Amino acid sequence: MGRSTRILFVSYGGGHVEMCLPVMHALRQQMPGCDARILALTTGFDVALRAGEMPLGFRDFSGFPDAGRAFRYGAQLVSGDEHPGVAREESIAYLGFNFLEWVENEGEEAAWLRWAKNGRHGFLPLNFFRAVLQSLEIDIVVTTNSPRSEQAAIEAAVSLGIPCLSMLDLFALPGDPFLKRSVHADRLTVLAEATRENMVAAGIAPARIFVTGNPAFDNLITSDAKTQGDLWRAAKGWDKKNIIFWAGHLEMPQALPAGFAGSGLGNQVQQLLVDWVESHPDACLAVRYHPNEWHAFVKPPVHPRVHWSQPGVEPLLPVLLASDQVVVQITTVGVQAHIAGKRVINIGFSPYVRISGLDYSLFGMSERADNPAMLIQLLEQGLAGDSMDKLGLERNGHAAQAVASHVCALAAERLA
């Protein structure tokens, strides 16, 4: 009797690991006895651990012949401001294995120049992932659409002839770097037909693209979703309040105007919202930043109607489901809020919104605030009970099962 099929998920944190976890659960139902594991990167590790998985990290490959060299480089590269939710040993291993690949490919001097120019954003550890897939004897690789390690896992799988699948989180708009990648997975699962059309227009073969929905959104429409929100409201004593949820993230370091760069925009929006809530007794505010970035922002002041929602301490969904109005830049929380039936306001003056084209108002999912005064105006309208007409995405709640069925199909094709 042969061994079980070994499937390796590779994912960063935030909404990406949340896409993988429900698929792993569905996969074990559809393929009993399979060996599904996740290499959970950065903040994804603790999320996977709390979900009951036994995640792998870069540090688990200390037995590789070149690990000692990698860890020495990593110790030089790790800084004092690494994310508090990522173990220092994992940061050293992650940075070290990635940097070592540059050293081996280009030489040490060129590697240090590349680090000075690009930092970790230039990582693509192909050799590392080839070694990982071979050492673990992986049969199928599953990732999302994140760059760096996730893309390296796909390219390594393709080079080794290992079937692979990537899940796309949102719309793959024209200009999305994902569309320009030279190597894609055997199967690509996407949020909506519009995503598929964008990918086909970019030259990706239609036969490898499948509309399944985003697995991270399945739990927004379960029977207990409303209960989660109601319980959170009751626990805060905010039952009859209009709850504003600011779900922010960093802007680009070089963003213009300069005051919006990095945490600048987020801190300014937060202060605007705090001031507005203080002057509106019927309103409350919950503040939450991206799991990889929350430590870079100013924590809001202690106030009976202001709540600090820290990733890793409090889950996202109860706060989101308790909210009435959700304010975002381009985070996937905006899509989640729309699917959950919330009123969404997107920050049209965000540099990321302007540059990326990921403007949720263009998809009928939000109302756009083009300046701070307009943001206040829209909040006032929401407080008065106004709502927007939502075009809506398909809400079937079965995306995880659909993606898992495609993983099963890859396994069947491999054995055929």
Side-chain angles (χ1 to χ4, degrees):
M1 185 175 180
R3 64 170 175 79
S4 59
T5 301
R6 295 179 180 174
I7 303 141
L8 181 67
F9 288 72
V10 181
S11 177
Y12 284 95
H16 296 276
V17 70
E18 299 289 359
M19 295 171 71
C20 292
L21 295 171
V23 176
M24 294 176 71
H25 179 73
L27 189 58
R28 291 172 182 134
Q29 294 177 327
Q30 295 184 27
M31 193 189 300
C34 71
D35 181 4
R37 302 193 69 183
I38 184 167
L39 201 169
L41 306 161
T42 61
T43 58
F45 188 92
D46 279 352
V47 175
L49 199 63
R50 290 194 298 271
E53 299 293 339
M54 298 179 64
L56 295 166
F58 271 63
R59 58 183 162 177
D60 290 302
F61 298 95
S62 59
F64 281 4
D66 54 2
R69 288 180 66 203
F71 293 173
R72 286 193 290 274
Y73 282 124
Q76 295 178 65
L77 295 167
V78 73
S79 64
D81 63 349
E82 293 296 312
H83 194 287
V86 180
R88 180 177 175 83
E89 296 79 10
E90 177 64 12
S91 292
I92 288 173
Y94 178 83
L95 294 168
F97 275 120
N98 275 278
F99 188 83
L100 179 61
E101 193 137 332
W102 287 348
V103 173
E104 292 178 337
N105 291 341
E106 306 171 22
E108 185 163 349
E109 182 178 354
W112 284 110
L113 289 173
R114 183 183 279 236
W115 172 259
K117 180 180 180 181
N118 299 318
R120 67 181 67 205
H121 297 292
F123 288 159
L124 189 70
L126 289 171
N127 294 335
F128 173 80
F129 272 99
R130 288 191 190 100
V132 167
L133 300 182
Q134 290 175 318
S135 67
L136 297 178
E137 298 182 331
I138 296 302
D139 299 306
I140 299 171
V141 173
V142 181
T143 72
T144 74
N145 55 313
S146 286
R148 302 189 296 279
S149 285
E150 292 192 31
Q151 178 62 14
I154 292 297
E155 294 192 23
V158 170
S159 71
L160 295 170
I162 298 173
C164 51
L165 179 148
S166 291
M167 297 178 278
L168 273 74
D169 55 353
L170 295 176
F171 302 106
L173 296 173
D176 188 326
F178 181 86
L179 300 175
K180 301 177 182 178
R181 295 179 189 175
S182 59
V183 178
H184 289 107
D186 301 300
R187 294 194 179 211
L188 303 162
T189 62
V190 301
L191 173 67
E193 183 61 34
T195 310
R196 185 178 186 277
E197 292 171 359
N198 289 337
M199 295 172 70
V200 171
I204 298 174
R208 68 203 306 182
I209 309 168
F210 302 88
V211 179
T212 60
N214 184 326
F217 301 159
D218 285 348
N219 55 2
L220 294 169
I221 51 178
T222 58
S223 58
D224 69 342
K226 183 179 184 301
T227 301
Q228 288 187 55
D230 290 345
L231 289 173
W232 193 90
R233 276 177 168 268
K236 293 293 293 182
W238 291 357
D239 283 319
K240 300 185 183 302
K241 303 294 186 182
N242 187 276
I243 300 177
I244 316 303
F245 184 23
W246 164 226
H249 56 73
L250 293 173
E251 294 284 342
M252 298 165 288
Q254 69 276 20
L256 295 175
F260 285 176
S263 62
L265 175 71
N267 288 330
Q268 290 182 47
V269 170
Q270 175 181 291
Q271 188 59 54
L272 184 72
L273 296 174
V274 168
D275 291 343
W276 184 80
V277 164
E278 285 184 334
S279 64
H280 291 75
D282 292 337
C284 298
L285 172 66
V287 175
R288 185 184 180 97
Y289 294 103
H290 190 282
N292 294 352
E293 302 169 353
W294 62 265
H295 61 294
F297 291 89
V298 173
K299 189 175 179 179
V302 176
H303 186 282
R305 288 183 286 109
V306 176
H307 174 75
W308 168 244
S309 179
Q310 182 176 315
V313 175
E314 177 178 59
L316 165 68
L317 285 190
V319 190
L320 174 63
L321 294 168
S323 302
D324 298 291
Q325 304 189 73
V326 179
V327 182
V328 299
Q329 294 142 286
I330 64 172
T331 173
T332 55
V333 174
V335 183
Q336 290 174 282
H338 171 69
I339 291 174
K342 305 302 177 180
R343 184 171 185 269
V344 183
I345 302 172
N346 71 301
I347 303 296
F349 51 96
S350 154
Y352 261 133
V353 172
R354 296 198 308 267
I355 292 170
S356 70
L358 190 53
D359 181 342
Y360 292 141
S361 69
L362 301 179
F363 302 98
M365 297 166 56
S366 74
E367 294 169 281
R368 185 178 67 234
D370 291 325
N371 52 59
M374 192 171 179
L375 172 57
I376 294 300
Q377 179 184 354
L378 291 172
L379 290 171
E380 297 277 2
Q381 292 172 2
L383 186 62
D386 289 356
S387 62
M388 60 173 291
D389 292 327
K390 302 177 177 67
L391 297 181
L393 300 174
E394 183 177 355
R395 298 169 168 90
N396 59 31
H398 303 301
Q401 288 86 349
V403 174
S405 71
H406 286 289
V407 179
C408 292
L410 287 176
E413 292 170 4
R414 183 178 179 276
L415 294 173

